[in-house]
Amino acid sequence: MRVAVVGGTGDFGLALARRLAEAGDYVVIGSRDAERARTKAAEAGAAAGASNADAVGGVDLVVLAVKADAALPTAAELADAIDETPVLSVASELRFAGGGAYPSDESRSLAERTQELLHGPVAAGLHSLAAASLADGRSDGDALVCGDDGHAKELALELGAKVVTGRALDAGPLAGARALEGMTAVIVNLNRRYKGHAGVSVTGL
Amino acid sequence: MRVAVVGGTGDFGLALARRLAEAGDYVVIGSRDAERARTKAAEAGAAAGASNADAVGGVDLVVLAVKADAALPTAAELADAIDETPVLSVASELRFAGGGAYPSDESRSLAERTQELLHGPVAAGLHSLAAASLADGRSDGDALVCGDDGHAKELALELGAKVVTGRALDAGPLAGARALEGMTAVIVNLNRRYKGHAGVSVTGL
């Protein structure tokens, strides 16, 4: 698969790029800074580095791996460059307060709002994978993926299967991203409470 | 522990009552129909059955196990009877459409909205446990519990630990119920897609 990782110089994007390159994918790391993208691509064993707009050309799947607060502006900015290429949304909006991490106050997921800005289909997933665990090898547990478009979801599942020790699982329609994104807050709280690197594994399938 | 299960004649409530009674808890099954509550209590090995309003008196924890669409009206109706006794909210709002199960369109969880109606603290949890799996014994996987009140959450965790094969885990503030309730839709979709009885296990702790 040819994959562009937009925001691929960040902790999560870079770890993901590394795992995908290792699995044999043709990976292009995108960044606002093309020079930095090239340096990081060399480090990660990725095929190439480029500006975000150049990175998304000619790939099968674009992973939007910028931080949550940059996800919507970046999607809007890259919409024409991405055109109808499927996108995988991996970010989660979190809010931190005294009691821990809180899920977003928005009723709709970041993935659903990203979908409105793009011409092609959006799938969402990998929210339970921490950058720290992905940096050292495949993440423990399963990769949950959701989406309304069959082709985008298939690509996202194929990608997910390469980066976890468990399975990539089809979690249903894109609206399920409300839960998957919210689980990031739960995972952050579990990590704080139990001093771990939590992931999610689905039992009983 | 003394536990009242409001809506304890439903599939989930009855299965929960059965597991708790088995674990040695003093369980009162509540129902709008007291006679039916008594019959089901005898079936489940619970200590007693009563009307919902009578069931919640003198217990340590009230489990609000009515169906999602009855959760808020039932909480409002029982608020004075429950008084300051901690409540565990286990219901999830789901919507079904062509593509599968969808999480709620509300930005706030059912548990947070239940909290507003009650005088005492609300914890939320056990959303990933299916009635069908709990009916035959402990559910596979972990019980995730969240809440803003330490005492209510402790009781909920103590209860959760008795009904799963895994652990009862503190998932942080009550707002995390947005994710936990939403995961019910994800689990329903996984069950349909992979013909299973999905539960959630947290890796890496």
Side-chain angles (χ1 to χ4, degrees):
Chain A
M1 203 193 306
R2 296 170 67 99
V3 184
V5 183
V6 169
T9 57
D11 288 346
F12 184 84
L14 191 63
L16 182 67
R18 207 182 286 274
R19 297 287 80 76
L20 293 175
E22 203 172 71
D25 282 347
Y26 180 92
V27 179
V28 188
I29 286 184
S31 168
R32 279 182 299 183
D33 177 346
E35 187 49 41
R36 185 168 156 76
R38 281 189 282 274
T39 306
K40 290 291 182 181
E43 269 179 50
S51 69
N52 283 326
D54 286 342
V56 301
V59 299
D60 303 304
L61 181 67
V62 173
V63 181
L64 192 57
V66 296
K67 289 190 190 305
D69 58 3
L72 297 176
T74 302
E77 192 185 314
L78 295 177
D80 289 340
I82 293 173
D83 197 21
E84 299 195 352
T85 304
V87 166
L88 173 61
S89 170
V90 300
S92 304
E93 286 172 331
L94 296 186
R95 186 166 54 79
F96 290 91
Y102 291 75
S104 170
D105 289 323
E106 295 279 346
S107 61
R108 289 182 320 137
S109 62
L110 198 54
E112 289 167 277
R113 286 175 283 143
T114 298
Q115 176 64 85
E116 286 179 354
L117 300 170
L118 295 175
H119 310 308
V122 172
L126 317 194
H127 306 89
S128 59
L129 281 55
S133 61
L134 202 57
D136 296 329
R138 291 177 177 225
S139 267
D140 277 347
D142 297 323
L144 291 164
V145 170
C146 64
D148 294 331
D149 178 88
H151 178 58
K153 188 152 61 176
E154 274 311 312
L155 289 170
L157 287 164
E158 189 182 330
L159 181 152
K162 293 172 187 162
V163 299
V164 292
T165 58
R167 302 151 295 178
L169 296 171
D170 177 355
L174 191 64
R178 299 171 194 179
L180 302 183
E181 293 176 9
M183 283 299 287
T184 306
V186 164
I187 285 171
V188 167
N189 290 324
L190 290 170
N191 287 343
R192 286 186 172 189
R193 173 74 180 74
Y194 301 100
K195 318 282 178 221
H197 296 286
V200 168
S201 177
V202 177
T203 61
L205 295 185
Chain B
M1 203 193 306
R2 296 168 68 99
V3 184
V5 184
V6 168
T9 57
D11 289 346
F12 183 84
L14 192 62
L16 182 68
R18 207 181 286 273
R19 296 285 80 76
L20 293 175
E22 202 172 70
D25 282 346
Y26 180 92
V27 179
V28 188
I29 287 184
S31 168
R32 277 181 301 184
D33 177 346
E35 187 49 42
R36 184 167 156 77
R38 281 187 282 273
T39 306
K40 290 292 182 179
E43 268 180 50
S51 69
N52 284 326
D54 287 341
V56 301
V59 298
D60 303 304
L61 180 67
V62 173
V63 182
L64 192 57
V66 295
K67 286 191 191 305
D69 58 4
L72 296 177
T74 302
E77 191 185 315
L78 295 178
D80 289 340
I82 293 173
D83 196 21
E84 299 195 352
T85 304
V87 166
L88 173 61
S89 169
V90 300
S92 304
E93 286 173 331
L94 295 185
R95 186 166 54 80
F96 290 91
Y102 290 74
S104 170
D105 288 323
E106 296 279 345
S107 61
R108 290 182 320 138
S109 62
L110 198 53
E112 290 168 277
R113 285 174 284 144
T114 298
Q115 177 64 84
E116 286 179 354
L117 301 171
L118 295 174
H119 310 309
V122 172
L126 316 194
H127 306 90
S128 60
L129 280 57
S133 61
L134 202 57
D136 296 329
R138 290 176 178 226
S139 267
D140 277 346
D142 298 324
L144 291 164
V145 170
C146 64
D148 294 330
D149 178 88
H151 177 58
K153 189 152 61 175
E154 274 311 312
L155 290 169
L157 286 165
E158 189 182 330
L159 181 151
K162 294 171 185 162
V163 300
V164 292
T165 58
R167 301 151 296 177
L169 296 171
D170 177 355
L174 191 63
R178 298 171 195 179
L180 302 183
E181 293 177 9
M183 283 298 288
T184 307
V186 164
I187 285 171
V188 168
N189 290 324
L190 290 170
N191 287 343
R192 285 185 174 189
R193 172 74 181 73
Y194 300 101
K195 318 281 178 223
H197 297 286
V200 168
S201 176
V202 177
T203 61
L205 295 186

